[in-house]
Amino acid sequence: MRPHVELIQENDYVWHGAELIGGEGRASERRLSVDEEDGSCSLRVDFHTRWGRGPGVHHANTEFYVLEGSMTYAGKEYGKGAYLYVPKGVPAEALVFSEGSKVLHYREYGDAGFDAGASRWEDSREEIIVMDTEAMNWDAVPNAGPMPGLFIKYLHVDPATGFYTRLVHAQEGWTDHRLAHHPCYEEAYTTQGHMEYNFGTLDLGTYFFRPARVKHGHFTTQEGGATWLLRSDGELMNWYTQNEWLRWGGEAVNYGPNGSRMRWSTSSHDLGPDGRSERDHEELAASVAYQHAQGEMDAPFVPHGTGIDKSVIALAKALDAAALQGGHGGHGHSHDHDHDHGHDHSHEPETPALDWGADPASLEHADERTDELSHNWGAGRQWKQGDPIPAPILSTLPVRSRSAGRWSGEGM
């Protein structure tokens, strides 16, 4: 499995010698995220010299996207925006990157292995894709969220699994005031622009890898819009949450004031509204207004730290439900009696069950706790209409950048 990485600026990654088996030349890689179980990884590669490799077969589904420089495949040269997809087990032609090229490189469901001159594997499927994305037109996303302004270039879609790679552009002012989660993982590298959301600032060179079901959102797009190369290991269904809240706490045994024991608690409400700019708040409110103008049911966007703490309301509702369910309290007889009735019983009140709404376990994928991915709650699974919609996973402390970005847990 890969860790939740959100949000890291690529300059915070160290350089390693690039693992490009069978090639000639010198290159370095930044390992954006790695799955040590199956070899999948996402890399930023810089080519210090001309680098080339002859025909052969990859051990993983392999992708290259040129950020700067050029790529020559099967004798044809492509510049910035070149994209190459080679399924594992499918023979690839000769590949060359020019000196100074900067490339995104992905390997999925396999390691860096490469067999020079090998024949096609019997169980291989799909075919090679090579394209000049700079020459492609942007298409409007059919379901752009609460408002228009989201555009896409499809690069690769696996017809069997739904895995797909695409370029996505949000125009300036595109906003989504809801938190979303998906049945699949989602990862992105920012190639242009600036966007704010609950995990930080998406700008040039920032990267995230978000496991399935981790909720995220409250997007606002700044000057010039924002563009990413975005990948998912399945169809990206959007399931939304609003009026979100979180409360957590416990007892400090030896770390209260002067080492004392103390009880503590905090809420997402305590984060306050200052994590977002005044412009952000205006745009998020405008997103709600647009939804209402389209006749959609929606709730207002209420910044954390304003109004009543939603966690207190939820606790009060749960306690009210518990009181209605009954318990040991409220009965009309006295416990002031002196007789000895020869049996032991406790006068401690029974704790009634609190009603928090739906049990998240009732929303799980039918096979989630028994299949080969049961060790990883954030593993993506193919989802189709009619399947249970799984509850989101709470992830308040992802792996994140030490030098850039803004993140206070807002929205989580």
Side-chain angles (χ1 to χ4, degrees), residues 23-317:
E24 293 186 3
R26 189 165 60 86
S28 298
E29 66 185 26
R30 283 171 164 156
R31 297 169 185 168
L32 304 177
S33 67
V34 177
D35 187 329
E36 293 290 355
E37 289 181 321
D38 70 3
S40 301
C41 60
S42 302
L43 311 166
R44 241 300 314 281
V45 181
D46 279 14
F47 292 91
H48 310 302
T49 67
R50 178 187 181 278
W51 180 91
R53 181 163 63 188
V57 169
H58 295 270
H59 292 191
N61 292 343
T62 301
E63 295 173 276
F64 296 96
Y65 178 81
V66 178
L67 298 167
E68 296 180 23
S70 69
M71 173 188 80
T72 300
Y73 179 76
K76 183 177 180 179
E77 186 174 12
Y78 301 82
K80 177 182 177 183
Y83 172 77
L84 173 65
Y85 171 71
V86 182
K88 63 181 177 179
V90 175
E93 299 291 341
L95 176 66
V96 174
F97 289 101
S98 62
E99 179 180 346
S101 293
K102 301 179 186 299
V103 174
L104 293 174
H105 175 36
Y106 303 94
R107 295 193 294 266
E108 205 71 36
Y109 311 129
D111 60 24
F114 180 83
D115 300 329
S119 301
R120 186 176 183 121
W121 295 358
E122 288 186 4
D123 61 349
S124 65
R125 59 184 185 83
E126 294 192 281
E127 298 301 330
I128 291 170
I129 298 170
V130 58
M131 60 178 61
D132 175 8
T133 68
E134 294 285 289
M136 297 170 62
N137 294 323
W138 288 103
D139 295 321
V141 174
N143 299 305
M147 60 198 311
L150 206 59
F151 301 90
I152 194 167
K153 294 180 181 181
Y154 290 99
L155 307 185
H156 163 247
V157 180
D158 185 327
T161 66
F163 194 114
Y164 71 117
T165 302
R166 64 274 197 204
L167 289 165
V168 177
H169 176 75
Q171 69 182 21
E172 180 178 336
W174 182 84
T175 305
D176 195 338
H177 57 283
R178 305 162 299 185
L179 292 183
H181 67 286
H182 315 298
C184 53
Y185 82 54
E186 185 179 27
E187 72 168 336
Y189 177 96
T190 309
T191 63
Q192 173 272 326
H194 178 191
M195 173 181 276
E196 297 289 334
Y197 75 129
N198 67 313
F199 280 116
T201 300
L202 282 165
D203 54 14
L204 181 62
T206 52
Y207 169 83
F208 67 75
F209 179 93
R210 186 185 306 124
R213 298 174 53 182
V214 173
K215 63 179 182 175
H216 55 283
H218 296 172
F219 295 108
T220 59
T221 312
Q222 310 302 307
E223 292 82 356
T227 308
W228 321 270
L229 190 141
L230 198 149
R231 304 169 76 243
S232 296
D233 65 339
E235 185 178 356
L236 196 92
M237 304 295 300
N238 288 303
W239 300 315
Y240 294 110
T241 299
Q242 288 187 267
N243 293 317
E244 65 282 346
W245 59 271
L246 175 69
R247 177 166 289 279
W248 65 103
E251 285 194 7
V253 176
N254 59 352
Y255 57 94
N258 300 316
S260 64
R261 189 182 187 101
M262 63 174 291
R263 181 169 55 88
W264 60 270
S265 178
T266 190
S267 165
S268 50
H269 182 82
D270 301 330
L271 296 169
D274 297 333
R276 304 300 289 258
S277 68
E278 183 177 346
R279 172 178 169 169
D280 274 4
H281 290 305
E282 290 173 355
E283 291 186 351
L284 290 163
S287 177
V288 178
Y290 185 91
Q291 280 282 81
H292 288 167
Q294 303 303 306
E296 299 288 343
M297 293 181 61
D298 210 347
F301 173 76
V302 180
H304 290 273
T306 60
I308 300 173
D309 185 343
K310 296 184 180 69
S311 69
V312 174
I313 295 176
L315 287 166
K317 287 181 177 178

Side-chain angles (χ1 to χ4, degrees), residues 306-349:
T306 60
I308 300 173
D309 185 343
K310 296 184 180 69
S311 69
V312 174
I313 295 176
L315 287 166
K317 287 181 177 178
L319 290 170
D320 284 346
L324 291 173
Q325 290 171 21
H328 200 62
H331 54 271
H333 66 273
S334 170
H335 282 271
D336 271 345
H337 45 272
D338 296 324
H339 58 274
D340 182 5
H341 36 60
H343 61 272
D344 294 328
H345 67 275
S346 171
H347 290 287
E348 290 295 322

Side-chain angles (χ1 to χ4, degrees), residues 323-380:
L324 291 173
Q325 290 171 21
H328 200 62
H331 54 271
H333 66 273
S334 170
H335 282 271
D336 271 345
H337 45 272
D338 296 324
H339 58 274
D340 182 5
H341 36 60
H343 61 272
D344 294 328
H345 67 275
S346 171
H347 290 287
E348 290 295 322
E350 297 176 5
T351 302
L354 301 183
D355 181 5
W356 297 103
D359 176 6
S362 69
L363 303 175
E364 291 177 352
H365 189 286
D367 301 325
E368 188 164 331
R369 293 180 181 262
T370 57
D371 66 13
E372 71 277 6
L373 300 174
S374 60
H375 68 288
N376 180 6
W377 199 29

